[in-house]
Amino acid sequence: MESRLYRPRRSVLYVPAVNEKALGKIASLACDAVILDLEDAVAPSGKAAARDSLQRFFAARSWGAREIVIRINAAATEWGAEDLALAVSLAPDAILLPKVDTPRDLLEASDALNEADAPETTKLWAMIETPRAMLNIGAIAELGRDPASRLACFVAGTNDLVKETGVLATADRRHLVPWLMQMVLAARAGGIDVLDGVSNDFRDLDAFARECSEAAAMGFDGKTLIHPAQIEPAKLAFSPSPEAIAEAEAIVAAFARPENATLGVISIDGRMVERLHLAQAQRLLARA
Ligand code: COA
Ligand code: MG
């Protein structure tokens, strides 16, 4: 939302909570946020060990100034309750709920956080990765309008969406794009952020850069990542370009001229510019 302090979420790296070596690297990585994963990146036999290493990681508190998010297992699984209790006690910036189907899933989680006296600063993020979530996306996003829900961000779970729907995963993601656009639209309606799903092929950084610039053009705030090599291309794609910054500065300067003070619409280099463009330009400069 416009009123909240701007936090960049261009590059958001998943780190399996069970992988101590990867956890140890976080402090040296330049990503905007990390998602410490107790869910799909951890095999059933490793769930308990993952919770232990997460606890050690938080005890050491060496992750720098970035946002820290914990992805727990779904409430319906045998690990859900214990994961949630641990996550609340660690007071991360957010807890990421997988397999959200309905607004009720989020409300139950926020009730649980309130009952456990979780600090207000612990927000909820929601994976959008099931057909039911897609059909309920507007109602889920609407919770973003109510601070009591704690909902702050959607994360596209594209691998699960492919698995659950049977669409073909092509390089250009043509069969996923309609759903991705619905997520962006719903997130804007709810005033929350929205992050694109992961690219599995972490060696092909050219393809990755293309996917990032597509996602930026689609309106995503950033991308979820699986490998450190993806951090820089993601940051680049989701940061305003020098041309966009120059254009925004020109719009701000034009409206600041005394002769334009009372005008709603002006022309710059043969293009109509309205005050809505001024607001857009100011927002872009704030991000830059
Ligand atoms: N976070 C932090 N560090 C990571 C990392 C991650 N997600 N992925 C790799 N690294 C580190 C490795 O530990 C390695 O460190 P080193 O140079 O000190 O040895 C370095 O980056 C290079 O890794 P590389 O050898 O290229 O990859 P890998 O074979 O070790 O790991 C994956 C490949 C896919 C297993 C790993 O990247 C990974 O687990 N990613 C996250 C998966 C995940 O969380 N999935 C769930 C959400 S979709
Ligand atoms: Mg998933």
Side-chain angles (χ1 to χ4, degrees):
M1 307 237 20
E2 324 239 327
S3 57
R4 90 165 150 74
L5 182 70
Y6 177 67
R7 290 194 93 157
R9 292 175 178 143
R10 300 163 298 181
S11 53
V12 178
L13 178 67
Y14 282 104
V15 186
V18 80
N19 184 340
E20 304 245 12
K21 191 165 168 232
L23 291 173
K25 288 197 95 117
I26 290 174
S28 70
L29 297 174
C31 50
D32 291 328
V34 293
I35 299 172
L36 305 164
D37 191 20
L38 294 169
E39 200 219 12
D40 285 349
V42 180
S45 60
K47 298 291 186 192
R51 280 191 212 114
D52 290 345
S53 80
L54 195 62
Q55 224 156 353
R56 281 193 295 277
F57 175 77
F58 271 81
R61 305 234 139 229
S62 61
W63 55 71
R66 82 203 70 238
E67 234 180 339
I68 293 281
V69 180
I70 299 174
R71 183 165 79 169
I72 62 175
N73 285 281
T77 67
E78 62 186 282
W79 311 288
E82 217 172 316
D83 281 2
L84 184 66
L86 173 64
V88 167
S89 76
L90 298 175
D93 293 301
I95 296 173
L96 173 54
L97 305 174
K99 317 281 185 321
V100 167
D101 280 328
T102 65
R104 175 178 293 270
D105 292 333
L106 267 157
L107 292 171
E108 283 174 0
S110 63
D111 282 350
L113 262 63
N114 292 341
E115 267 159 43
D117 285 325
E120 259 177 60
T121 50
T122 304
K123 303 299 179 197
L124 288 172
W125 289 15
M127 294 297 305
I128 303 298
E129 55 186 348
T130 66
R132 290 184 72 197
M134 284 316 309
L135 291 174
N136 293 319
I137 192 79
I140 298 171
E142 195 64 20
L143 294 175
R145 299 259 153 223
D146 176 7
S149 79
R150 298 180 189 248
L151 178 61
C153 190
F154 280 165
V155 181
T158 38
N159 284 330
D160 271 287
L161 268 175
V162 166
K163 167 175 163 268
E164 294 301 316
T165 59
V167 298
L168 188 65
T170 58
D172 64 3
R173 304 200 294 174
R174 69 178 71 181
H175 308 298
L176 283 169
V177 164
W179 297 325
L180 294 171
M181 292 307 307
Q182 282 299 107
M183 286 182 213
V184 172
L185 186 67
R188 297 299 165 241
I192 62 173
D193 275 357
V194 58
L195 307 179
D196 192 12
V198 300
S199 296
N200 299 328
D201 185 354
F202 59 85
R203 299 274 182 241
D204 189 348
L205 291 178
D206 290 335
F208 179 72
R210 276 196 299 278
E211 196 165 296
C212 285
S213 70
E214 273 275 316
M218 287 159 70
F220 281 99
D221 295 290
K223 191 151 175 80
T224 46
L225 317 176
I226 51 168
H227 193 279
Q230 296 178 325
I231 295 171
E232 283 313 312
K235 283 174 94 166
L236 189 65
F238 292 98
S239 298
S241 68
E243 299 78 46
I245 293 171
E247 192 186 321
E249 282 168 345
I251 292 171
V252 170
F255 274 108
R257 277 190 217 108
E259 65 268 30
N260 292 335
T262 59
L263 297 181
V265 55
I266 59 175
S267 112
I268 302 178
D269 297 334
R271 282 192 23 244
M272 177 187 80
V273 179
E274 296 176 283
R275 287 205 174 258
L276 69 91
H277 296 115
L278 174 63
Q280 218 177 330
Q282 284 164 332
R283 215 161 39 231
L284 183 139
L285 292 174
R287 282 205 292 136

